[in-house]
Amino acid sequence: MNDHHYTGLIEKYRDRLPVAESTKVISLNEGNTPLIELRNLPVKLGWNHQIFCKFEGLNPTGSFKDRGMTMAVTKAVESGAKAIICASTGNTSAAAAAYAARAGIKSFVLIPEGKIALGKLSQAMMHGATVIQIRGNFDDGMRLVQELSSTMPLNLVNSINPYRLQGQKTIAFEVVEALGDAPDYHVMPVGNAGNISAHWIGYSEAAGRQCGSCNLCNGECAFKGVVISTKRPTLVGYQASGAAPFLRNEMVDSPETVATAIRIGHPVSWDLAWAAQKESAGWFEECTDEEILHAQKVLAESEGIFCEPASAITVAGLIKDIERNRYKSGSRIVCTLTGHGLKDPDTAISQSEAPVVVEATRDEIGAIIERHL
Ligand SMILES: *Cc1c(COP(=O)(O)O)cnc(C)c1O
């Protein structure tokens, strides 16, 4: 095969990940996602910032979870595991199921009954995971998989597994390589808070700094000090108003939001995320479901980018915080669009105008076109 053929983020960043020469890599060629500059929205809204979207919806299973899952499953297989388990709001289960299939091991996924987007459920089912719907939310599932994995031969692949964050940190390397340096701000949704923590690990390493956040420091930390940036960005995390423990400064017991991927009230990476916010001099802010859905639609209509509701909270947050001058004028801002809009067709269809139905005649169709031209 051609040497330049891309074969996934572990091969690409081997020198900065906790893998050995002999490690058998489980990959679906994840990562290497496009960084798309917004052209129309900033003009329309009169923003004087340069804004890029890192479209993680274009990973193999349609979300950034693939970055962490390639590492977690690679390490699980290396350790001899025959089965993995996770709790999920949807995307983790899709990724776990796909990478387990690739590795030829079993996967078990716990999802909240009725609160998972259809696309994600179909993925877990198609890849052959044992899908267990629980009468409870993500936080209940998280507690249960921690219990189960400590007593049964199951490897836990939620982001409490430090290898997940190691895989996910590579997003920062890709952004730095694409822009030539770190951006001024990096903006993302916050649910279980693993991703914001992983971004901070990645940006810290890219700038040659050990952040102390990787949880692998006792001997296995992958930090090699490969310096590719001169600075670290300010991190901004957006939460849905009904599931905003970082805004309330305490855990939330019954989280609710249309953005099911971030419908989490007890984030596992609580301390790491606070450290990332403080060290980067960033902030957390909340957006309502209405603001999230509006942003999802605006982004899809004005830029041709279709992300899922949880991802669109980044744009909702920008709309709110740029208005209030919280971003320094003339900044370079990167948004992580965490998952693809096709994951959740129900939400998309319910907020769009239904297609008109007419007779199959030239006249009826022509009249509609004329009205819309
Ligand atoms: C998992 C997920 C998030 C939240 O990431 P955390 O690491 O849990 O904070 C956001 N958006 C999408 C689409 C996700 O799948």
Side-chain angles (χ1 to χ4, degrees):
M1 188 124 33
N2 185 318
D3 278 352
H4 301 295
H5 177 64
Y6 181 82
T7 54
L9 59 86
I10 295 183
E11 289 301 348
K12 171 137 195 225
Y13 297 111
R14 242 194 142 89
D15 60 338
R16 282 161 271 179
L17 289 169
V19 286
E21 203 60 50
S22 59
T23 305
K24 183 176 160 234
V25 174
I26 310 298
S27 170
L28 289 164
N29 298 14
E30 57 297 307
N32 196 24
T33 54
L35 186 68
I36 307 167
E37 182 171 0
L38 296 189
R39 298 273 184 220
N40 305 321
L41 202 54
V43 174
K44 193 164 144 183
L45 299 177
W47 293 346
N48 71 340
H49 305 290
Q50 204 183 8
I51 299 174
F52 298 86
C53 288
K54 183 73 169 153
F55 195 14
E56 292 289 287
L58 294 184
N59 273 295
T61 77
S63 86
F64 76 85
K65 298 297 197 305
D66 294 344
R67 287 184 189 273
M69 206 53 75
T70 183
M71 269 303 304
V73 174
T74 291
K75 295 304 278 189
V77 168
E78 186 176 46
S79 74
K82 296 279 183 283
I84 58 174
I85 189 168
C86 66
S88 177
T89 58
N91 282 330
T92 302
S93 70
Y99 283 81
R102 184 79 163 164
I105 61 174
K106 286 195 186 314
S107 61
F108 298 88
V109 304
L110 267 62
I111 55 175
E113 187 187 23
K115 294 287 184 180
I116 173 173
L118 220 53
K120 305 175 188 183
L121 181 59
S122 73
Q123 288 178 292
M125 292 166 70
M126 279 302 282
H127 292 303
T130 302
V131 180
I132 304 164
Q133 301 214 41
I134 58 167
R135 294 195 186 94
N137 61 26
F138 171 85
D139 302 307
D140 299 319
M142 192 64 228
R143 183 172 41 75
L144 287 161
V145 293
Q146 284 179 272
E147 251 176 68
L148 290 160
S149 64
S150 67
T151 53
M152 297 175 84
L154 299 164
N155 196 294
L156 182 60
V157 295
N158 279 104
S159 58
I160 194 169
N161 175 333
Y163 296 119
R164 280 275 308 275
L165 303 196
Q166 287 293 302
Q168 287 169 212
K169 76 183 180 184
T170 58
I171 190 173
F173 301 162
E174 290 179 16
V175 171
V176 167
E177 284 169 11
L179 297 178
D181 205 341
D184 299 307
Y185 298 90
H186 197 129
V187 174
M188 72 210 76
V190 174
N192 213 19
N195 208 26
I196 192 169
S197 309
H199 278 69
W200 192 239
I201 295 172
Y203 278 119
S204 296
E205 290 192 16
R209 305 175 60 152
Q210 195 156 14
C211 63
S213 298
C214 71
N215 278 348
L216 286 169
C217 295
N218 41 1
E220 220 194 334
C221 177
F223 179 72
K224 300 287 192 315
V226 181
V227 181
I228 54 173
S229 63
T230 66
K231 58 176 185 186
R232 298 187 286 184
T234 295
L235 298 191
V236 183
Y238 290 108
Q239 296 215 282
S241 296
F246 287 97
L247 278 299
R248 311 289 169 254
N249 207 2
E250 63 180 7
M251 300 299 172
V252 171
D253 279 337
S254 302
E256 264 318 330
T257 168
V258 68
T260 49
I262 50 173
R263 186 172 168 270
I264 294 172
H266 290 242
V268 160
S269 296
W270 179 254
D271 294 337
L272 292 183
W274 278 118
Q277 177 266 321
K278 292 200 177 82
E279 286 174 36
S280 78
W283 67 88
F284 294 109
E285 185 51 89
E286 64 187 283
C287 297
T288 64
D289 281 1
E290 200 182 359
E291 290 168 331
I292 292 169
L293 293 178
H294 169 73
Q296 186 193 20
K297 184 83 173 147
V298 164
L299 185 66
E301 283 189 349
S302 62
E303 300 283 358
I305 302 172
F306 185 22
C307 66
E308 67 172 282
S311 314
I313 201 173
T314 55
V315 175
L318 285 183
I319 291 173
K320 174 178 279 186
D321 280 341
I322 289 177
E323 187 82 16
R324 299 187 200 152
N325 292 318
R326 276 178 109 172
Y327 291 89
K328 277 197 214 83
S329 174
S331 291
R332 206 174 227 195
I333 305 171
V334 173
C335 299
T336 300
L337 298 183
T338 44
H340 203 290
L342 289 172
K343 292 274 195 175
D344 190 356
D346 293 333
T347 303
I349 288 172
S350 70
Q351 61 162 321
S352 301
E353 221 175 291
V356 287
V357 182
V358 297
E359 293 307 319
T361 65
R362 195 234 156 259
D363 283 359
E364 287 209 26
I365 299 165
I368 291 171
I369 293 174
E370 255 165 37
R371 240 185 293 138
H372 285 85
L373 266 179

